[in-house]
Amino acid sequence: MINLNSWVWPRNKARDGKSRFGRLEALPTQSISQSMITEKDVEHIAKLARIEISAAEREQLKDKLSSILGYIDQLDTLDTSNVIATYQTTGLENSLREDAPRESHDTSINLEDRLLSQAPTTENNFLKVNSIIDRNKK
Amino acid sequence: MPAKGHTIESIVKGIRNGQFSAKEIFNEYLAKIKVLDKDLHAYLSMHEFQEPRDGVLFGVPSAIKDNILIAGTICTAGSKILEKYVSAYDATIINKLRSAGSVFLGKTNLDEFAMGSSTENSAYGPTKNPLDTTRVPGGSSGGSAAAVAADLAVFSIGSDTAGSIRQPASFCGTVGLKPTYGRVSRHGLIAMTSSLDQIGPFTKNVRDAALLMNVISGHDMFDSTTVPKKSEDFLLNIDKSVKGLRVGVPAEFFGQGLDKEVKDKIMESIERLAKLGCEIKEVSLPHSKYSIAAYYIVAPSEISSNLARFDGIRYGLSDKEAKTLLDTYLRSREGGFGAEAKRRILLGTFALSSGYYDAYYLKAQKIRTLIKKDFDEAFAKVDVIVGPVAPSTAFKLNEKSSDPLSMYLSDIYTVPVNLAGLPGISIPCGNGEMSNMPVGLHMISKPFDEETLLRLAYQFEQSIEK
């Protein structure tokens, strides 16, 4: 028979209901507070990501993102200084093809019209956007 | 436990024998969906009947996860931001299925942009598990799994980035296959985590899964990550004995956190494999415990980049009140994305922001190497690795939806397989003693060795049905 050793797994005490961090106790994390992020950080990231968020959402996001980052911190316990990164698993390099019209593409349809029909505003077959600079602002 | 209703083989046979026409069987399914899907909500939209082409899927009604494009029809990805989006072209897999004769019943529900493990993150409301409607069907391909489990489709197509085919297959008691990364074209799949996303089938039995693999596999010049391979017939050797096949059991998948009822069924299944003549060996995947943490860097990072295209300018929801371009971005994305999508976009933006790249993204990709190396070493000793698909059977609706981390952890056994780019399958192996819900046996093989995977899965399934 196989001898299956027990393994300390992150979801232990999953149903103890003690706290959100209750189920993280078994993790080899050094410090969960290490990656706490502030509401100001959230505001900054949201701006970079171009998503408007309310004050209430900001607070919630701060808590949830901090708890996820706290969990992620367990990766710090592994020394990876001599490990090469894996960006993909197929081993393919430079997928090349002939620079020729691709027959497998259905040219009987007017793809351009189909694509443009999805845009909220167009003008003369161009996408139309709002002004980049707000003229009312000095 | 044979799955309910028609299989691909029974439909094709029925049509060819003149038992029913393709249109009759399609309408039969539509009528059934109209009644049963009010409660289940497996489907987001229904399609009209089209005369099928002749092929191995002649007239077989199927369901497609709503993150895969079918020209001229709505594709929402489970998001409000794409509520009215009409696909301009067919995904490669749609072309292949249509050429083989399949007819599409409709598009199935999913967690928004395939981000989730319960289908509760859909902007259009959750899907329920057909075997117990107080429970989730799993996710993110919950609609596709539920449709097959309730026989509201003969087979369905899903996508698997962290377990999104295998976990719902396990929860609903269907077969669910995630092929090797690079095996099936993702052209026309709305990208979530490009370095991990893979398309695969939900079926009622293993033979149907093998048949579908014959149809959907192959290099595609529209997806440069597909690997050029000679076409294979996955049904050819499916009957061959599995005697002497080396099956690895990773100790790490049986520790704390695994529900007893799941563990019992999996152990029982391993004994069954031993009886089939497989040689059972213990293997070790010591770094797999880091996979969820690594995944929640890799995935959000790629998500923040992939979802940047939803800008309120080219397609999708666009805020009408916005006065400046920046406002268009901010408000369209605020109104269009749900909570989980926002969380992951922000997390990824943070991980990729200046100064954090080495600490997060690069670190996670290095961990990926370690996880892959564990599998390489294990596969030097064994042909297939088996274990649980998920730590529990289908959980209750709302049980985990307020706590993203506990939801993430339900993918603990499936994520390492995606990070290593391997094929994996979930096969029903009986119901758990406590919940009386299905348990899925997880089989994982070497890259591009779906043949062995399907053969073992088929033999296992046959041994259960006997």
Side-chain angles (χ1 to χ4, degrees):
Chain A
M1 201 44 218
I2 328 139
N3 172 28
L4 299 172
N5 307 317
S6 69
W7 171 53
V8 182
W9 188 79
R11 207 184 129 240
N12 75 323
K13 298 178 185 165
R15 291 193 177 86
D16 66 359
K18 268 184 201 156
S19 73
R20 187 176 15 240
F21 296 104
R23 37 192 86 179
L24 303 175
E25 280 170 11
L27 292 183
T29 43
Q30 287 161 330
S31 154
I32 272 187
S33 59
Q34 193 177 321
S35 286
M36 288 296 266
I37 56 172
T38 63
E39 280 189 42
K40 221 174 159 186
D41 293 331
V42 174
E43 197 180 344
H44 174 66
I45 306 161
K47 211 171 181 180
L48 290 176
R50 298 289 186 264
I51 300 176
E52 178 111 29
I53 48 169
S54 66
E57 262 185 309
R58 199 154 59 218
E59 205 194 322
Q60 250 198 12
L61 278 162
K62 182 201 75 166
D63 291 345
K64 293 208 160 148
L65 294 183
S66 292
S67 100
I68 297 164
L69 286 168
Y71 179 77
I72 286 170
D73 274 347
Q74 65 170 302
L75 298 182
D76 288 345
T77 59
L78 271 176
D79 179 13
T80 52
S81 44
N82 295 319
V83 180
I84 297 164
T86 296
Y87 292 99
Q88 52 114 321
T89 50
T90 58
L92 287 175
E93 278 176 43
N94 298 335
S95 291
L96 301 174
R97 61 172 173 82
E98 287 283 307
D99 187 15
R102 297 186 281 189
E103 278 172 23
S104 64
H105 209 89
D106 185 359
T107 48
S108 65
I109 55 163
N110 194 340
L111 200 57
E112 191 182 298
D113 286 349
R114 283 193 187 179
L115 291 170
L116 279 171
S117 74
Q118 295 305 306
T121 40
T122 56
E123 201 173 299
N124 299 329
N125 264 8
F126 286 102
L127 299 174
K128 194 176 166 187
V129 298
N130 276 323
S131 61
I132 292 168
I133 298 158
D134 186 353
R135 280 175 212 160
N136 299 322
K137 271 191 194 165
K138 279 176 198 170
Chain B
M1 309 162 294
K4 290 203 294 191
H6 286 288
T7 63
I8 294 175
E9 290 183 324
S10 74
I11 292 278
V12 174
K13 214 169 161 188
I15 295 176
R16 295 210 194 277
N17 290 345
Q19 230 173 302
F20 40 74
S21 71
K23 190 166 185 178
E24 278 165 3
I25 198 72
F26 184 88
N27 287 337
E28 204 176 284
Y29 270 96
L30 271 194
K32 205 167 158 189
I33 290 163
K34 256 184 203 145
V35 178
L36 293 176
D37 206 45
K38 270 192 196 126
D39 190 27
L40 290 182
H41 194 44
Y43 283 91
L44 289 177
S45 56
M46 303 312 300
H47 289 186
E48 280 171 14
F49 176 75
Q50 288 183 326
E51 278 303 330
R53 297 187 203 161
D54 200 349
V56 291
L57 302 177
F58 186 44
V60 180
S62 60
I64 307 294
K65 187 176 182 178
D66 203 22
N67 59 352
I68 295 171
L69 307 183
I70 301 180
T73 67
I74 300 270
C75 190
T76 68
S79 178
K80 237 165 81 182
I81 211 161
L82 289 178
E83 190 172 4
K84 292 172 184 153
Y85 177 73
V86 179
S87 310
Y89 59 94
D90 279 331
T92 297
I93 188 163
I94 294 301
N95 269 326
K96 290 190 171 200
L97 292 172
R98 189 182 278 134
S99 301
S102 186
V103 192
F104 308 118
L105 287 160
K107 305 293 286 292
T108 55
N109 200 10
L110 67 157
D111 288 294
E112 184 175 9
F113 288 105
M115 299 176 199
S117 308
S118 68
T119 321
E120 292 168 294
N121 291 337
S122 167
Y124 305 97
T127 298
K128 292 170 188 168
N129 192 310
L131 305 172
D132 175 353
T133 52
T134 66
R135 294 176 189 268
V136 302
S140 66
S141 315
S144 289
V148 170
D151 192 32
L152 300 182
V154 178
F155 72 88
S156 65
I157 296 295
S159 62
D160 188 318
T161 306
S164 284
I165 291 174
R166 290 159 290 157
Q167 184 253 24
S170 172
F171 281 13
C172 293
T174 74
V175 172
L177 172 67
K178 176 232 170 256
T180 312
Y181 185 85
R183 177 70 98 172
V184 178
S185 167
R186 292 100 38 88
H187 174 64
L189 168 73
I190 295 175
M192 194 251 272
T193 304
S194 304
S195 74
L196 305 173
D197 297 339
Q198 182 59 220
I199 293 179
F202 289 89
T203 56
K204 292 175 185 163
N205 60 38
V206 178
R207 282 191 78 89
D208 279 1
L211 177 65
L212 280 168
M213 282 304 289
N214 287 353
V215 174
I216 65 177
S217 300
H219 177 253
D220 177 17
M221 66 170 167
F222 290 116
D223 179 355
S224 61
T225 62
T226 50
V227 176
K229 290 253 169 206
K230 258 200 258 164
S231 71
E232 283 176 65
D233 181 358
F234 295 100
L235 281 168
L236 196 64
N237 294 320
I238 204 162
D239 287 319
K240 280 205 180 141
S241 163
V242 290
K243 214 167 247 172
L245 207 69
R246 299 164 304 164
V247 170
V249 179
E252 291 86 350
F253 283 12
F254 290 84
Q256 231 171 338
L258 176 64
D259 282 0
K260 188 181 173 295
E261 61 168 356
V262 176
K263 186 175 177 176
D264 287 349
K265 281 287 146 195
I266 302 302
M267 295 309 282
E268 201 183 295
S269 304
I270 293 167
E271 307 242 345
R272 190 181 284 280
L273 291 170
K275 273 187 203 144
L276 285 172
C278 296
E279 193 187 320
I280 312 292
K281 291 183 171 191
E282 190 177 325
V283 292
S284 182
L285 302 170
H287 295 98
S288 56
K289 64 182 162 191
Y290 297 104
S291 60
I292 294 279
Y295 177 79
Y296 278 96
I297 296 170
V298 176
S301 297
E302 295 185 28
I303 285 163
S304 71
S305 164
N306 271 327
L307 270 58
R309 74 192 64 185
F310 301 102
D311 55 8
I313 292 171
R314 289 163 297 171
Y315 40 71
L317 185 138
S318 183
D319 190 278
K320 299 275 179 269
E321 307 296 313
K323 296 278 181 286
T324 64
L325 184 64
L326 182 62
D327 265 359
T328 306
Y329 296 147
L330 291 172
R331 298 171 67 148
S332 304
R333 288 162 68 80
E334 179 201 14
F337 289 134
E340 182 64 19
K342 283 179 187 167
R343 265 197 296 275
R344 294 203 197 181
I345 291 170
L346 293 196
L347 192 59
T349 306
F350 174 74
L352 294 177
S353 59
S354 173
Y356 290 103
Y357 179 85
D358 283 7
Y360 289 109
Y361 196 71
L362 184 65
K363 180 90 185 180
Q365 300 290 39
K366 288 180 166 190
I367 307 268
R368 223 177 142 178
T369 305
L370 298 174
I371 291 167
K372 192 169 176 292
K373 212 172 124 236
D374 285 352
F375 276 109
D376 289 345
E377 281 168 13
F379 280 125
K381 291 181 233 153
V382 298
D383 304 298
V384 177
I385 292 173
V386 301
V389 171
S392 70
T393 58
F395 44 87
K396 299 270 183 184
L397 286 151
N398 302 317
E399 190 182 321
K400 299 187 181 197
S401 50
S402 62
D403 185 353
L405 251 180
S406 77
M407 186 75 85
Y408 295 173
L409 290 171
S410 67
D411 291 333
I412 184 91
Y413 307 125
T414 44
V415 167
V417 177
N418 297 77
L419 289 171
L422 305 170
I425 192 167
S426 174
I427 316 285
C429 66
N431 284 8
E433 240 167 51
M434 294 290 287
S435 62
N436 197 29
M437 292 298 286
V439 174
L441 175 67
H442 198 186
M443 296 181 179
I444 306 155
S445 77
K446 294 171 197 171
F448 296 101
D449 194 14
E450 282 89 346
E451 193 195 16
T452 307
L453 190 67
L454 287 161
R455 181 154 59 99
L456 185 62
Y458 177 71
Q459 302 290 336
F460 176 79
E461 180 187 68
Q462 292 300 103
S463 77
I464 279 203
E465 281 175 18
K466 262 174 208 160

